[in-house]
Amino acid sequence: MYAVPLAENAELRPLEPWQAPEFLAHIDRARAHTDPWIPWATFSTDLDSARATLQRYADRLAGDSGRIYGIWRDGTLVGGVMFVSFSTQTGICEIGAWTEAAGEGGGLITGAVRLLLDHAFTTRGLHRAEWWCSSANARSRAVAERVGMRLDGTLREWFLHNGVRHDKEIWSILASEWKPQA
């Protein structure tokens, strides 16, 4: 297994099905923090569904169509990033992220997203990376802005979540616009 440092006390590592108990404990802590914006945490409500979530990403990795990574701070899983989709055929990927309150601050999500962008553009030669988020999620929008993405548009009242219709923003950055970290 490998780990990539994000800060003095934090690292990015692959998340795999065997880590389902740790992942579920983290999702339980993150649920109230993520649920206002995305239904993602609702996919993992017990050990079997948490394992299934991680297995879906393991299958995507095997098919070169997605990947999930965890962010550990001081040895505890506090968030993560993922290639929601990844297509070498189209040259397009979508990146997503989530965190619990303990994972906020210190630029961990932004740093991890930069690593994924660098991998997509520099290592894999993709053309475009996208970031989809609720217009009401200011923290998510801020990550897109910090990594140099531009707002392509807003899908008004695009999805229903927790009884509320959310606008969905689509942000993107092109390989020609990407500036790798030194």
Side-chain angles (χ1 to χ4, degrees):
M1 176 134 95
Y2 68 88
V4 178
L6 292 173
E8 184 178 315
N9 63 341
E11 59 189 14
L12 183 71
R13 301 190 307 228
L15 260 173
E16 299 174 353
W18 64 269
Q19 295 166 303
E22 182 179 18
F23 177 67
L24 178 60
H26 157 64
I27 290 299
D28 285 342
R29 292 189 306 269
R31 203 171 305 285
H33 198 65
T34 59
D35 262 0
W37 317 114
I38 55 175
W40 196 76
T42 63
F43 303 146
S44 301
T45 56
D46 58 26
L47 195 52
D48 287 340
S49 59
R51 188 174 290 109
T53 295
L54 296 178
Q55 186 62 54
R56 275 192 301 279
Y57 280 93
D59 294 344
R60 288 179 187 178
L61 171 62
D64 200 23
S65 63
R67 182 87 194 249
I68 191 168
Y69 302 88
I71 297 172
W72 280 262
R73 178 183 260 171
D74 295 321
T76 300
L77 180 61
V78 296
V81 293
M82 65 188 122
F83 286 113
V84 178
S85 63
F86 190 95
S87 173
T88 56
Q89 244 181 350
T90 64
I92 299 170
C93 67
E94 179 191 347
I95 294 174
W98 77 95
T99 186
E100 62 183 78
E104 290 184 338
L108 299 180
I109 295 292
T110 301
V113 169
R114 283 189 175 119
L115 287 170
L116 266 60
L117 287 169
D118 200 51
H119 176 75
F121 293 139
T122 305
T123 305
R124 298 302 306 278
L126 267 60
H127 175 73
R128 172 186 168 93
E130 297 178 346
W131 181 269
W132 292 48
C133 66
S134 168
S135 294
N137 190 343
R139 294 183 74 85
S140 188
R141 296 176 87 238
V143 171
E145 291 172 334
R146 280 194 296 272
V147 299
M149 290 186 170
R150 292 192 220 171
L151 179 62
D152 288 340
T154 303
L155 303 172
R156 298 178 311 133
E157 297 185 3
W158 189 77
F159 72 104
L160 180 65
H161 179 57
N162 291 334
V164 176
R165 284 253 167 225
H166 291 260
D167 291 351
K168 180 71 87 170
E169 294 182 352
I170 303 171
W171 293 75
S172 71
I173 186 168
L174 305 177
S176 60
E177 299 166 334
W178 176 243
K179 294 174 181 63
Q181 301 296 298

